Amino acid sequence: MYIDTHTHLNDPQFKDDFEAVLSRAKNAGVQSFIVSGYDQKSSHLAVSMAEKYPQIYATVGLHPSEVNPDTINIDWIGNLVSHPKVIGIGEIGLDYYWDDSQKQLQKEMFLKQIELAKKHQLPVVVHSRKAIEDTYNILEQTKHYGIMHCYSGSLEMAHLFIKLGFLLGIGGVVTFKNAHLRDVVQQIDLNCLVSETDAPYLAPHPYRGKRNEPQYLREIVNEIALIKQVSSEEVQKKLIQNTQLMFARLKL
Ligand code: NI
């Protein structure tokens, strides 16, 4: 059995075949989904999906690429966090790859959302792209815990994030040949990993380039098992335990 700890079933790409995507995932052994919001609308949608389906949970937050002077009012996050199926704040963080014109504002909004998470004792789900040092500095300063979603940094940074209280979210990249993430997975204790698809993005091999779906989580977990030379069943069990320990509101 698998848990997709980070998926965007709230993405418009799943609008037309949502039920089919869920049933394919179920047939592939995916028992639960954490649907991640990235702005106000997608966060509300994640929560309404979580209300309708027992196997869906939500995280709510403002993604760094959605940060601009028009989106800085995040009162809506404060209104959603007390919902019992909102189990974390995310995805939040820093992204200097797509647009680095709002660096300062991104940092401010990242900080604000971490403070909210601390206040409500919820983990943060962190997105970091071309911004690993700034991300680390903020997390070190705020002293909170959570998941480094779709981790792709170095082994050295991985150890530092783990020391702060973070788990590494491992996605489809781990199935790509020559990905340095494979070395990171090999070297890092299984206790520090969780599995995710980040669907509809980043489909694992052999579906690379296609729309990703939670059903492909199996490929990701099997790859982790291969790299670590442990049975897939053992990896599945461990990843579910890790997820449960991170998300106190998750009821499996
Ligand atoms: Ni994501």
Side-chain angles (χ1 to χ4, degrees), residues 6 8 91 149 198:
H6 188 108
H8 300 287
E91 61 181 280
H149 140 65
D198 203 18

Side-chain angles (χ1 to χ4, degrees), residues 30-46:
V30 183
Q31 65 171 54
S32 307
F33 311 82
I34 302 176
V35 174
S36 187
Y38 42 91
D39 61 6
Q40 183 169 3
K41 194 176 162 208
S42 62
S43 294
H44 275 282
L45 186 54

